[in-house]
Amino acid sequence: MEQEDDELRNFARHCRTFYLSSLSPASSLHTQSSSSSLDEDAAIADNTYDDLAQMANDGKIVLEAFDRICAIGAINNGHTAAQEVSLTNLKNEHELCAKRHCDLLKGCGLLDIDHFTTLNNAATLLQKYTEVRDATRRQAHKLAMTHRQNSFFELLSHAEQNCVTYSVESCALSTEETCSNRTTTTTVDGIKAIMSSIDEFVTKYQTRIGCHSFLAGLHKFIHLQLTPSSGNNRSNNPSYVVQWTFRGSVLTEACLPAGADGDELSYAREALKVLFMFMILSKSDDIEGGSQGDASEPMVSFEIHKHVSNNTLRRILNVLPNPKDLDARATGSLNVLTSSEKDTVALRENIDGHLDEHWSLFQSNFLIDYCTVL
């Protein structure tokens, strides 16, 4: 019995290693430290990248072996003549795997198929292993989601610290540093920098369908701020403020390839940089969770920075892709803030652009902004 317990623990360890290594982008084998013993933590910390890759590969071998045993057991329970070939192939594959990885499978109790298929307690043993595998997978998913959430909060805090549109006094998240490299949203160079960054972001990611819902949401948000759905002239009213709320997973779970340096959160980092160039993070919502779903899912809300004029918003809208060219609906929800919520937001102070630096005719987007024919 003690040997069986040791084998189950080894099996669980290999399952955990494989599942955690497979849950990308923001998870790693080091996430195991939150659920492993102190001895396992020390062992993991001492491993090199190659060692961790080998551990993940061992986990894959163990799980594949167990899947084969499950398939063999299922066929044995009542196989037909047509399934005889499949049964033989599975047994041959297991025999070959057992020869190549004898110590690995033996340590997990998977070396002998008969223990799971023909012995008296075979069904009970198979059920134990299945429960261990499923429980480990659920735990790995939970740990990975926690790690993703923490990574997102770190990205959000860092992006706000280094925002280009407002000082640290208006930051919604607690920071110890002042915002650096600020570029005002009212100068020609500052607005050009915003447009250039957005254009570069769109050019880089528009071909990836995983970012389409974000781009569509950004376009819809700015469009509603410029053109209220009520059809009146509220867009020129400083108290007309639209709030865009969406899940953090929109950025962390976009299934986009890692950056050139292997940074698997590069897309989320670049998207947040774009947002903070002309928006502020709402202080009225708790980013730890939201009312639109699971409380463990980070929700964030953004509003247009108070010094961004409508002319600047039109220029930004011009560099964003047309929603008709995107293959996803706009993510998140849009909310026009009511009078009772105005004390938690910054009313827009530069709607008409009176604080904006004068653009020469050749610098401006005059035709695009004002010519209805074009």
Side-chain angles (χ1 to χ4, degrees):
M1 191 65 181
E2 183 177 348
Q3 179 182 354
E4 181 181 306
D5 291 341
D6 289 340
E7 291 170 346
L8 277 171
R9 279 193 292 270
N10 287 334
F11 177 70
R13 177 169 54 83
H14 286 295
C15 288
R16 182 168 55 248
T17 300
F18 174 76
Y19 288 133
L20 287 174
S21 68
S22 302
L23 292 173
S24 180
S27 61
S28 72
L29 292 174
H30 294 283
T31 312
Q32 294 186 69
S33 60
S34 61
S35 64
S36 305
S37 68
L38 293 177
D39 291 340
E40 286 179 348
D41 291 349
I44 292 171
D46 290 339
N47 280 316
T48 64
Y49 179 83
D50 290 338
D51 292 332
L52 294 175
Q54 182 59 51
M55 291 167 62
N57 187 60
D58 288 347
K60 179 181 179 182
I61 293 170
V62 167
L63 278 167
E64 287 177 347
F66 181 66
D67 287 342
R68 275 194 300 271
I69 291 174
C70 290
I72 291 171
I75 296 176
N76 272 343
N77 287 336
H79 66 279
T80 63
Q83 293 176 310
E84 189 66 36
V85 175
S86 297
L87 182 61
T88 301
N89 289 338
L90 286 170
K91 289 182 177 180
N92 289 339
E93 288 176 9
H94 186 80
E95 182 179 351
L96 180 60
C97 181
K99 289 180 179 179
R100 291 178 176 174
H101 309 284
C102 180
D103 292 339
L104 179 62
L105 297 189
K106 184 178 180 180
C108 297
L110 301 176
L111 198 59
D112 192 346
I113 298 177
D114 292 340
H115 289 167
F116 298 90
T117 57
T118 60
L119 298 183
N120 293 333
N121 65 338
T124 302
L125 184 62
L126 186 64
Q127 182 65 25
K128 285 183 179 180
Y129 272 77
T130 301
E131 290 174 354
V132 168
R133 179 198 62 187
D134 294 346
T136 304
R137 181 166 51 198
R138 286 193 299 269
Q139 184 184 49
H141 277 277
K142 183 178 180 179
L143 289 172
M145 288 305 297
T146 300
H147 188 73
R148 286 184 176 94
Q149 179 173 313
N150 292 338
S151 297
F152 178 72
F153 290 150
E154 290 176 5
L155 286 179
L156 194 63
S157 179
H158 182 75
E160 192 172 36
Q161 289 177 30
N162 293 279
C163 59
V164 296
T165 57
Y166 55 100
S167 62
V168 71
E169 287 77 10
S170 62
C171 288
L173 299 175
S174 59
T175 61
E176 297 179 356
E177 304 176 15
T178 58
C179 296
S180 59
N181 302 322
R182 291 196 300 270
T183 302
T184 177
T185 59
T186 58
T187 66
V188 172
D189 289 342
I191 296 172
K192 283 184 175 181
I194 294 172
M195 294 172 61
S196 176
S197 294
I198 296 174
D199 186 54
E200 290 176 6
F201 180 84
V202 171
T203 300
K204 182 176 181 179
Y205 290 111
Q206 187 179 354
T207 57
R208 307 288 185 176
I209 195 171
C211 76
H212 283 200
S213 63
F214 172 75
L215 290 174
L218 182 57
H219 188 285
K220 186 176 181 179
F221 168 50
I222 297 175
H223 185 267
L224 182 59
Q225 183 66 70
L226 286 171
T227 55
S229 57
S230 59
N232 55 31
N233 202 31
R234 290 187 65 198
S235 62
N236 293 321
N237 185 341
S239 65
Y240 176 69
V241 178
V242 179
Q243 187 179 83
W244 181 28
T245 302
F246 59 88
R247 299 179 184 274
S249 57
V250 169
L251 303 181
T252 60
E253 306 296 317
C255 298
L256 295 172
D261 57 353
D263 179 11
E264 293 179 317
L265 289 173
S266 59
Y267 168 72
R269 183 175 289 103
E270 292 176 37
L272 287 173
K273 178 182 177 181
V274 165
L275 294 180
F276 278 111
M277 295 192 82
F278 64 100
M279 298 186 193
I280 60 172
L281 185 66
S282 172
K283 299 181 182 181
S284 60
D285 286 347
D286 177 11
I287 65 172
E288 296 292 334
S291 59
Q292 301 181 2
D294 185 356
S296 65
E297 174 72 67
M299 304 289 291
V300 288
S301 298
F302 284 89
E303 302 150 17
I304 298 298
H305 185 267
K306 63 181 180 180
H307 287 156
V308 175
S309 66
N310 280 355
N311 286 342
T312 298
L313 290 181
R314 292 189 187 97
R315 293 184 174 100
I316 293 174
L317 208 59
N318 185 54
V319 297
L320 287 173
N322 191 312
K324 294 180 180 180
D325 298 328
L326 301 174
D327 297 317
R329 292 183 178 182
T331 191
S333 62
L334 298 176
N335 177 40
V336 178
L337 300 184
T338 63
S339 57
S340 62
E341 298 169 304
K342 292 301 188 294
D343 58 341
T344 63
V345 301
L347 301 184
R348 301 186 63 203
E349 299 178 358
N350 188 34
I351 293 177
D352 59 1
H354 68 278
L355 298 177
D356 288 355
E357 182 181 355
H358 175 69
W359 287 61
S360 68
L361 181 62
F362 295 103
Q363 285 180 315
S364 68
N365 288 341
F366 177 83
L367 293 177
I368 294 176
D369 290 343
Y370 299 106
C371 183
T372 57
V373 176
L374 296 179

